[in-house]
Amino acid sequence: MNKPDYELYYWPTIQGRGEFVRLLLEEAGAPYIDVARLPVSEGGGAPAIMKLLGGGDSLLPFAPPVLKHGELVLSQTSNILLYLAPRHGLVPLDEPGRLAANQLQLTLADLVDEAHDTHHPIASSLYYEDQKPEALRRSAAFTRLRVPKFLGYFERVLQNNGGVYLVGAALSYVDLSMFQVLAGLVYAFPKTMARVSPTVPGLTALSDKVASKPRIAAYLASSRRVPFGDAGIFRHYPELDVDVP
């Protein structure tokens, strides 16, 4: 059996930031191995990630996700996507198009960070219960102000690009990432998204289009897609889903 082209290193029990890379690889039909999902006895599990982070590579990764492609070792989600997308036809080929896609992906990364910080506004090393008062204040601002601002921006970008895709004339990795962000927000903040979604009909249609892509649909229905839960970036704490008009 041929060795997969890519090795992805990410925590095995959560979607997290690694899911953005998985979605690109799945849509591309690119052979890859999710290393930490292998048994520890086969070189997988969390020990595989810790070994990589403490290894001897000249450009040592700070945190997962990490992608290995031959001798190349890359970290940072947006950086990995920037590398993979042109190799699999999931970004415009011209430089302005590639830079525009990266700009949008970095803006999505800002949104993802803010979503994470609703339940961990003080420190990731603390439990949610240790920072709940601060989380309540942070989530109120996030649901009332930040979600509409971010999604409104992306809706305008979509409409300015013709209303079909966020960048270029075909599906790109940014569209895949937008699908993931919307899915996470709907899971974590259903009341908020019930209020905001009607104001961004183009993004909703784009998300549905991504979900219906044959390879993505097959992935979402498979055991490779870890469900949302009480860990990772998008977490549903009902008290944080502040439905403020």
Side-chain angles (χ1 to χ4, degrees):
M1 183 176 179
N2 293 331
K3 184 178 179 181
D5 292 345
Y6 303 106
E7 296 179 13
L8 174 64
Y9 290 77
Y10 198 72
W11 308 115
T13 58
I14 61 174
Q15 293 181 16
R17 291 171 176 82
E19 195 68 10
F20 297 97
V21 182
R22 294 186 190 108
L23 285 168
L24 186 153
L25 293 170
E26 292 286 344
E27 174 58 22
Y32 74 100
I33 184 168
D34 215 332
V35 176
R37 292 188 182 174
L38 293 173
V40 174
S41 61
E42 297 179 17
I49 297 176
M50 303 312 296
K51 180 180 178 181
L52 181 68
L53 298 182
D57 293 293
S58 59
L59 191 59
L60 192 65
F62 178 73
V66 177
L67 184 82
K68 292 186 72 174
H69 185 202
E71 297 300 315
L72 183 66
V73 179
L74 288 174
S75 63
Q76 292 289 354
T77 305
S78 298
N79 194 39
I80 294 170
L81 297 174
L82 183 67
Y83 172 75
L84 287 173
R87 287 162 172 76
H88 296 284
L90 286 168
V91 70
L93 296 179
D94 61 292
E95 184 176 51
R98 292 196 306 274
L99 292 174
N102 186 51
Q103 174 178 306
L104 293 175
Q105 184 66 40
L106 290 169
T107 306
L108 279 172
D110 291 339
L111 173 53
V112 168
D113 285 345
E114 291 198 25
H116 170 272
D117 289 349
T118 59
H119 50 80
H120 277 75
I122 302 299
S124 295
S125 58
L126 297 174
Y127 290 110
Y128 164 64
E129 289 75 16
D130 296 326
Q131 48 197 315
K132 194 170 179 179
E134 295 86 357
L136 290 169
R137 293 187 64 189
R138 184 66 179 263
S139 62
F142 181 72
T143 56
R144 184 176 67 252
L145 301 174
R146 302 300 284 170
V147 171
K149 183 171 183 176
F150 272 108
L151 296 189
Y153 163 75
F154 282 108
E155 179 75 13
R156 293 194 301 276
V157 169
L158 180 68
Q159 298 307 327
N160 287 346
N161 193 50
V164 182
Y165 299 110
L166 283 165
V167 62
L171 183 81
S172 76
Y173 71 94
V174 183
D175 301 312
L176 300 173
S177 294
M178 176 57 71
F179 160 79
Q180 174 64 11
V181 168
L182 290 177
L185 290 174
V186 168
Y187 172 78
F189 304 101
K191 290 184 190 176
T192 298
M193 290 304 290
R195 171 173 52 85
V196 176
S197 291
T199 70
V200 289
L203 294 181
T204 300
L206 174 61
S207 180
D208 292 341
K209 182 180 300 182
V210 169
S212 68
K213 298 285 289 183
R215 286 174 175 164
I216 295 298
Y219 170 63
L220 296 177
S222 75
S223 60
R224 298 191 305 280
R225 170 76 164 185
V226 175
F228 291 110
D230 59 358
I233 297 167
F234 298 105
R235 307 184 188 185
H236 178 54
Y237 295 117
E239 63 272 20
L240 299 187
D241 188 15
V242 184
D243 187 21
V244 179

